[in-house]
Amino acid sequence: MKLKSMLLTVGVACFLAFSLPAAEVHAAEGGGLASAGCKTEHFLLQDLAQAYKAKTGKQVRLAKTGNKKAVNLMLAKKIDFAYTCKPIVKLSKKLKLDQNKISSWKSVPIGKDPIVIVSNRTNGVSDLSIAQLTEIFQGKNTNWKEVGGNDVPIISAYINPELESGTLLLFKEFTVGMKGELDAKAKKLNGPSMLGNFVASNPGGVTFMPLNSYEEKFGNILKINGVSPDKENILNGKYSLSATYYLTYDQAESEDVQGFVDYCLSAEGKEIIAKNFIPYSE
């Protein structure tokens, strides 16, 4: 399987050009569109905003605030749209929003962000539950025989937290929780290729990475709760280690926002999404 590598580090110039602190994000300041939202979807929006500006000359300013703050910024009309990892229907229930204030809001799915678990081929395991996966990366399970595999010590590895990878944030959300901690003794490396090569050369090795970064030489992709991360299972939601990314906006407010949404859903937009993610399709 030949898949494209995912760029996990963010160029400083790109960051300065398209990202602003939440307090400085306002549609009336500096022109263009102002947005904020999910800290993992931010990596996808950077690529789309950069390409949109190159094509139209219109800037889309971004701020990594999280879903809740982004929704509040929209309610206060301080941003033009939010990028969220849950649709407004679910967010409104969780945040107990006034339905009258969001009656014209819409969440449009644009992409899926799957993470795969890669294991050394000598470990003897093909499937893990979320609970087993969590305990492995917490350091609670220390031998593959504890999860039905061979008598081989588990050696876990993950992306260096200093790189501020969206993959690391997503994995924590799916397993230990955003406030949880991964095993401090695990190997920390600076990119998917380094992680994959580490797993390939170390019996007992296991890591996680974006699907688009995986190469067969790294090892086996494990099923999660009996489900493999093929495109169908990712798009239909059966594969649990995958986030759906949305653009959430007020349909009554801005034609400019609709223009950006349409661009993200266009063939060109989907091509950009496909570089590091999976474009959403019904």
Side-chain angles (χ1 to χ4, degrees), residues 26-34 59 61:
H26 195 290
E29 298 172 6
L33 293 172
Q59 186 171 0
R61 293 174 291 141

Side-chain angles (χ1 to χ4, degrees), residues 128 132-139 141 144 147 154 156 206:
L128 290 173
Q132 289 171 328
L133 179 65
T134 301
E135 291 185 345
I136 284 172
F137 279 92
Q138 286 178 318
N141 283 334
W144 286 101
V147 291
I154 292 174
S156 62
V206 63

